[in-house]
Amino acid sequence: MPKQRSLPNEVFLLPGLIGLAVFIFAISYSVYMSFYRYKLGFTGPIYLGIQNYVDLLFNDVIFRTAIINTLYFVVVATTLEILYGILLAVLLYWSKYRYLFLPFLLIPMLLPAVNVVVLWRFMFHPEYGLVNMFLKSFGIPPINPLNDPTWAMPTIILMDMWQMTPFVMIILLAGLSTVPNEIITAARLDGANKLNMTLKILLPLTKNVIMAVILLRLIDAFRIFAKVQLLTRGGPGIATETLELQIYNRGVRGLEIGLGSTMSVIFILLAMVVIVPYMIMVIKGWRR
């Protein structure tokens, strides 16, 4: 029989390379259009140089607020989710009934963003919400944090924690489960308690897993558009305005292609400034 010729391994890289080429083209076109004033259907492209960047970064209060809100959400939400996720993962690791609790803890992560938003809007409804019904039973006036500029963003962070902490928890629990039982047994024989074993054995041995899950949450935290758009639409005022929401409102709905492209470039650069240094640190940690 004639010998069958196998496909070269490089062929299987084609789908990824095609996707990468499309991504590079889209980014390049956005960079190109960021130097123009162009409102789709109204005027042709007018070259402005870096004027769009100057206007957005130095003259646009709403856009600067969107940058601050985005960074605030990314840093606070990621930090709290990692800390709470570590706590839950450790408690489940030492629990004999973790397989009983685990399915219920994973439910929030399985819900679509729309369902989560509807649930949280109902919870904080001034008249029928579960939170205010509970407060009224103690004679406490109702609250409406989604309409309060001070508490709107913390409420969104709390909602994101409720949904995404299980993601952190399940990955860290899988990492903790890879620690050899022989090490834990030896530590018990030496008289170590669960707290000491957690701080001196489990967490150090799963350091790379923790660093990886922080990286994943940092990347995902920048994609906050759906929850903010469905829950507050950037309000009250501009208290929850984010970069993605600005790109949507002005670039997509407002048809301002030039400004939208400029915002997209700034958004990508901001994300890279936050994520890339940490990504390099994670990769170096894996090589050790």
Side-chain angles (χ1 to χ4, degrees):
M1 293 180 62
K3 186 178 180 181
Q4 292 183 348
R5 302 176 68 179
S6 59
L7 293 172
N9 294 334
E10 288 75 9
V11 172
F12 298 99
L13 296 175
L14 283 177
L17 292 175
I18 293 173
L20 179 61
V22 172
F23 173 76
I24 292 175
F25 172 77
I27 296 299
S28 301
Y29 186 72
S30 293
V31 173
Y32 170 76
M33 290 306 303
S34 69
F35 297 110
Y36 288 82
R37 177 189 295 136
Y38 179 31
K39 189 163 185 177
L40 190 64
F42 292 88
T43 60
I46 302 174
Y47 181 75
L48 297 178
I50 63 171
Q51 190 61 45
N52 282 335
Y53 292 93
V54 173
D55 289 341
L56 287 173
L57 294 174
F58 298 101
N59 302 325
D60 195 322
V61 176
I62 297 177
F63 186 76
R64 291 203 303 270
T65 302
I67 293 177
I68 295 171
N69 288 342
T70 300
L71 291 176
Y72 171 64
F73 175 86
V74 169
V75 173
V76 176
T78 301
T79 302
L80 293 178
E81 287 165 13
I82 294 299
L83 293 177
Y84 190 35
I86 291 174
L87 176 62
L88 290 177
V90 169
L91 291 176
L92 287 174
Y93 177 83
W94 292 115
S95 174
K96 296 179 180 179
Y97 307 102
R98 59 176 173 268
Y99 297 110
L100 178 63
F101 297 116
L102 196 56
F104 297 99
L105 292 173
L106 292 177
I107 289 176
M109 186 179 68
L110 303 177
L111 297 176
V114 175
N115 297 64
V116 174
V117 168
V118 170
L119 176 62
W120 277 71
R121 287 188 70 89
F122 175 74
M123 285 175 55
F124 287 103
H125 192 279
E127 296 182 14
Y128 312 111
L130 296 177
V131 172
N132 284 314
M133 289 177 63
F134 176 77
L135 294 177
K136 286 179 182 178
S137 65
F138 290 95
I140 302 175
I143 61 174
N144 192 0
L146 295 175
N147 283 338
D148 188 330
T150 303
W151 293 103
M153 184 58 80
T155 303
I156 294 175
I157 292 173
L158 188 63
M159 179 183 68
D160 194 72
M161 278 185 61
W162 179 78
Q163 184 183 24
M164 298 311 301
T165 297
F167 170 79
V168 177
M169 174 197 71
I170 195 66
I171 293 180
L172 293 180
L173 181 60
L176 293 173
S177 301
T178 62
V179 176
N181 289 328
E182 294 80 2
I183 298 178
I184 302 300
T185 303
R188 281 199 179 101
L189 293 176
D190 289 338
N193 55 34
K194 291 181 179 179
L195 180 60
N196 286 331
M197 285 188 284
T198 298
L199 297 178
K200 297 181 179 180
I201 297 176
L202 291 177
L203 295 183
L205 288 179
T206 56
K207 180 183 67 174
N208 288 340
V209 178
I210 295 173
M211 293 177 69
V213 78
I214 292 174
L215 177 61
L216 292 175
R217 283 307 305 138
L218 275 175
I219 294 171
D220 189 64
F222 277 95
R223 300 182 296 179
I224 188 183
F225 170 77
K227 291 174 182 175
V228 174
Q229 171 67 10
L230 294 171
L231 195 62
T232 63
R233 290 181 173 83
I238 56 174
T240 58
E241 193 73 42
T242 63
L243 283 173
E244 283 189 314
L245 203 58
Q246 278 283 289
I247 295 169
Y248 172 74
N249 287 332
R250 300 175 72 173
V252 179
R253 294 183 60 189
L255 302 178
E256 297 183 32
I257 306 302
L259 274 180
S261 298
T262 308
M263 292 178 182
S264 299
V265 172
I266 294 173
F267 175 76
I268 293 171
L269 291 175
L270 184 65
M272 290 178 63
V273 167
V274 175
I275 294 171
V276 170
Y278 185 79
M279 184 184 297
I280 294 172
M281 184 175 66
V282 171
I283 294 173
K284 287 182 178 179
W286 288 344
R287 292 178 177 177
R288 293 174 184 172

